[in-house]
Amino acid sequence: MSEPERRRTPEQLRSHQWYGSEISSGLRSFSHRARTRQLGYLPEEHLGKPVIAILNTWSDINPCHVHLRDRAQAVKRGVWQAGAFPLEFPVSTLSETFQKPTPMLYRNLLAMETEELLRSYPVDGAVLLGGCDKSTPALLMGAASADLPAVFVPAGPMLPGHWRGETLGSGTDMWKYWDDKRAGLIGDCELSELEAGLARSPGHCMTMGTASTLTAAAEALGVTVPGASSIPAVDSGHDRMAAASGRRIVELVWQDLALSRVLTREAFEDAVTTVLGLGGSTNAVIHLIAMAGRAGVTLTLDDFDRIARRVPVLANVRPGGGPYLMEDFHFAGGLPGFLSRISDLLHLDRPTVNGTLGQQLESALVHNDDVIRLRDNPVADEGGLAVLRGNLCPDGAVIKHIAAEPHLLHHTGPAVVFDDYQTMQRTIDDPALGITADSVLVLRGAGPKGGPGMPEYGMLPIPAYLLKEGVRDMVRISDARMSGTSYGTCVLHVAPESHIGGPLALVRTGDPITLDVAGRTLHLGVPDEELERRRAAWTPPPERYERGYGALYHEQVTQADTGCDFAFLARPGAAPAPYAG
Ligand code: FES
């Protein structure tokens, strides 16, 4: 199915309601044109041309986006070249590193800002600049709800890290060497060198963490120009991609290709297939479900598990595979090369912002079969995630089993329960807790409401005395998320969360817990009658927020299995267009 050619006239542009094309079209148009002259433009520079909003998440505080100020200029160049009128809008920045307790608390706020900004201003199409973890879903959720033509410009991965001849992956090697420090294998001098070597340039994390996973998902959804997601942030090609995105959005506006015509059920199935075949971040589960919801598509945990069983992991990129990083993936063919290896599992005739997906992949090549593996030599036979069910997670839980020690994928052990992250951090190294390599570490109070914002606490630390004995993985269970750069046998996103009385709230230290990844189960070995007694005695924790955004978040956020969107944003229904008169 090739994309139908709709052509709009200047009078059919949304922005025409603000500016008009004739001097006589009303007082408001007169005022808007006068104010545009105040901005320094002549009427012929903007009248009758599509207005393209460039939503920029640049900020001094966000090292993953610090180059986006320049990239916005490249987008503008492309928009002007294509005969349209670019306007840059600064929007919230979500810095995974610096924003506390977690930028996930603010994903829906940026989504809301994106939607309302696109709705309330004279905008015909949008270019969205983001990439650090939550910014990609936030921008796309908001743009999907506004439903204008839009192109996403991924921030691009930073350059690979280096230390003493080793290549470092951001996040992944930070955790690894931090554990080495706790185990006494390296000291402050080495740690100081590592600090200088981990992050060498602007750009998002260069492992297949959450940022790379979600920008790849955006490309698979069909909302970027081809090959955009893996271009290193500081590569000249990134500037060229940004300019190409500016040119492309103008054509999409004339075609009237609103996001709803791209973000179809088939597009989301392909994005799930992509994430699983990349061995991508568990965070993608929550974000894709939320993005799909905004596009009117029902995506469930079962879709992930169903698709995972038929998609091999082909991206040999850390932390799910390795030793490679995103720059290697880019030079091996990037996402087009990767998608060409699984094209039989994709919907090739669906529309993207560049024609059909099949057309986009016609010239795709793979240049390195060790980075992007052949189908008969996968990194893993099945997609990188599994969805678990059981009496401990009736609404589901997720595990990235390809990043786990194989011997722990079927494991029974006694629970050691922590009620909150701070207590766990303070006490985890205390031998009096009796934690052994067979213990199952349980953290609760870290879900969407309990965290709040479901922080990335899911890779619970291993006690230092076990690290010194060489233990590097244990079964860990929480209602938290986990950084896409993390690894280990970590059961995440347990739903419903403990804060609202999910079964995780009822676990006691010493209870046996069985994880069976092949059977897709997580079971608490406590009789139902005893669980009912515990439930009757359970009291909900006190609420933290009496006012403000936190109170709104707490009231409206949904559980992990439905994407943690706000209920009032996720529900279908009309939002009237503004009256521009
Ligand atoms: Fe921004 Fe990792 S900190 S992507």
Side-chain angles (χ1 to χ4, degrees), residues 149-224:
V151 172
F152 182 73
V153 171
M158 66 177 93
L159 295 176
H162 281 284
W163 178 62
R164 295 188 181 183
E166 265 183 63
T167 304
L168 301 178
S170 50
T172 306
D173 279 307
M174 183 181 72
W175 318 124
K176 172 177 175 287
Y177 285 108
W178 186 248
D179 277 352
D180 279 357
K181 167 87 167 67
R182 294 177 66 228
L185 299 175
I186 61 172
D188 288 343
C189 174
E190 288 85 352
L191 214 59
S192 171
E193 290 175 16
L194 283 158
E195 267 180 29
L198 267 167
R200 291 174 49 232
S201 79
H204 62 66
C205 291
M206 75 319 233
T207 45
M208 189 57 78
T210 304
S212 300
T213 302
L214 284 163
T215 55
E219 184 171 337
L221 283 169
V223 297
T224 72

Side-chain angles (χ1 to χ4, degrees), residues 64 96-97 131-133 204-205 211:
C64 305
E96 198 59 35
T97 307
C132 187
D133 294 17
H204 62 66
C205 291

Side-chain angles (χ1 to χ4, degrees), residues 389-394 502-504 521-528 531 535:
R389 306 267 179 188
N391 67 347
L392 201 45
C393 55
L504 206 61
T521 58
L522 182 67
H523 184 76
L524 177 64
V526 174
D528 290 348
L531 288 177
R535 183 177 303 287

Side-chain angles (χ1 to χ4, degrees), residues 12 81 90 96 159 184 194 309 329 342 345 348 428 494 539:
Q12 291 170 326
Q81 285 168 346
E96 198 59 35
L159 295 176
L194 283 158
R309 292 174 191 268
F329 183 75
I342 55 167
L345 304 176
L348 297 177
I428 188 75
V494 166
T539 52

Side-chain angles (χ1 to χ4, degrees), residues 248-268:
R248 190 67 205 146
I249 185 63
V250 179
E251 177 58 21
L252 297 177
V253 168
W254 289 124
Q255 286 181 7
D256 197 14
L257 191 77
L259 266 185
S260 55
R261 293 170 62 201
V262 176
L263 298 181
T264 58
R265 167 91 201 165
E266 291 75 22
F268 280 100

